């Protein structure tokens, strides 16, 4: 079983739709949760960064973390064609004295927003 | 403020050769991590450097080695290249100060033929 599971999609939605992306994880040590957006043949771009459980909103993006269920979500409101990309969830935790720098990623979900 | 920069952008090598990839971290960042991303997969952690030392390592063979310089820039070396080493190699920089927030470069696409 992978530490982080993410449905690879692909997901196709019409412009203006609300998009929901999700990841589940198994490692209870994870405390930091991130969402990255990756355009084709580019490096990942950090979208949202949250610590522990709760919600965080930034413009059209909302990140939710439920540590009790080991489940995180990213919502995109009023989706635009420019949101078409691969979305990666990533997690990190302070693991028994080692640094929390190592990120564990999901497989990525391919999103297409069509006009 | 320059972000994370990597060089070269693309590289083609022959099986058995050696390769060196370079990374300059975001200004003010002191920690550099390297990741390998195969097509259609999420990035996989190779190792992390802090204060010129390898601090943490993922499940990669010794053919993968690295270095961090006093100015925090870093190199990734891969020896005895295999066809399976073909991937996008990503460098991420962060601050070693109570945060896991990491910023990535554009990557180096390595093709082994």
């Amino acid at each position: 079983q992978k530490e982080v599971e993410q449905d690879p999609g692909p997901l196709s939605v019409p412009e203006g739709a609300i998009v929901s992306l999700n990841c589940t994880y198994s490692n209870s040590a994870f405390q930091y949760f991130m969402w990255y957006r990756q355009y084709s043949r580019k490096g990942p771009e950090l979208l949202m960064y949250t610590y522990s459980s709760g919600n965080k909103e930034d413009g059209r993006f909302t990140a939710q973390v439920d540590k009790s269920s080991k489940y995180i979500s990213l919502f995109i409101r009023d989706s635009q064609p420019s949101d078409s990309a691969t979305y990666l969830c990533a997690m990190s935790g302070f693991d028994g004295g080692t640094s929390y720098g190592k990120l564990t990623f999901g497989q990525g979900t391919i999103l297409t927003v069509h006009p | 403020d320059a972000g994370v920069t990597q060089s070269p952008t693309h590289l083609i090598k022959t099986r058995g050769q050696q390769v060196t990839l370079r990374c300059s971290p975001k200004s003010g960042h002191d920690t550099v991590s390297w990741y390998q991303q195969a097509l259609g997969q999420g990035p996989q952690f190779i190792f992390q450097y802090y204060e010129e030392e390898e601090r943490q390592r993922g499940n990669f063979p010794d053919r993968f080695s690295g270095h961090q310089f006093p100015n925090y820039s870093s190199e990734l070396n891969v020896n005895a290249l295999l066809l399976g080493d073909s991937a996008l190699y990503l460098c991420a920089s962060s601050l070693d100060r109570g945060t896991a927030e990491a910023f990535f470069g554009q990557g180096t696409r390595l093709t082994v033929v």
Side-chain angles (χ1 to χ4, degrees):
Chain A
Q1 183 189 4
K2 292 183 179 179
E3 275 190 296
V4 180
E5 298 277 359
Q6 183 176 8
D7 185 343
L11 186 60
S12 181
V13 302
E15 184 175 354
I18 296 175
V19 175
S20 172
L21 305 168
N22 311 293
C23 289
T24 59
Y25 64 95
S26 57
N27 189 342
S28 299
F30 288 147
Q31 300 173 8
Y32 302 89
F33 304 91
M34 284 142 278
W35 285 95
Y36 286 87
R37 177 173 63 194
Q38 186 174 27
Y39 292 113
S40 181
R41 310 183 85 81
K42 300 290 187 183
E45 171 195 7
L46 181 62
L47 279 178
M48 300 290 282
Y49 169 76
T50 54
Y51 169 68
S52 194
S53 285
N55 294 356
K56 185 174 182 179
E57 188 173 319
D58 185 0
R60 296 185 296 113
F61 298 91
T62 300
Q64 289 185 351
V65 175
D66 182 349
K67 289 190 70 179
S68 62
S69 301
K70 296 189 178 67
Y71 187 87
I72 71 170
S73 300
L74 177 70
F75 298 94
I76 307 174
R77 291 184 299 280
D78 187 26
S79 56
Q80 303 294 310
S82 59
D83 294 329
S84 299
T86 296
Y87 289 80
L88 295 155
C89 63
M91 309 178 188
S92 180
F94 203 66
D95 185 8
T98 60
S99 81
Y100 29 56
K102 170 189 171 183
L103 297 180
T104 301
F105 282 85
Q107 182 177 352
T109 299
I110 299 170
L111 171 68
T112 301
V113 181
H114 51 87
Chain B
D1 175 25
V4 181
T5 57
Q6 292 185 242
S7 63
T9 307
H10 298 87
L11 206 50
I12 299 175
K13 287 287 189 179
T14 303
R15 191 171 42 182
Q17 284 189 316
Q18 178 263 343
V19 68
T20 298
L21 311 181
R22 295 176 175 81
C23 172
S24 292
K26 184 176 170 68
S27 178
H29 283 187
D30 54 10
T31 303
V32 172
S33 303
W34 287 91
Y35 293 80
Q36 180 195 67
Q37 186 177 25
L39 203 60
Q41 301 296 318
Q44 297 292 313
F45 176 76
I46 302 175
F47 43 52
Q48 182 182 86
Y49 277 83
Y50 172 68
E51 291 189 341
E52 301 178 51
E53 300 264 337
E54 182 184 294
R55 180 162 66 176
Q56 204 174 7
R57 189 177 183 92
N59 189 24
F60 279 79
D62 291 345
R63 298 188 296 109
F64 290 77
S65 64
H67 188 79
Q68 185 179 35
F69 299 94
N71 67 352
Y72 306 123
S73 67
S74 177
E75 287 182 349
L76 164 66
N77 301 291
V78 187
N79 294 323
L81 284 166
L82 304 174
L83 297 179
D85 294 331
S86 296
L88 181 67
Y89 288 85
L90 296 162
C91 169
S93 76
S94 56
L95 260 178
D96 184 63
R97 200 177 302 164
T99 174
E101 198 172 9
F103 297 87
F104 284 82
Q106 80 280 13
T108 294
R109 184 159 299 279
L110 173 65
T111 302
V112 182
V113 298

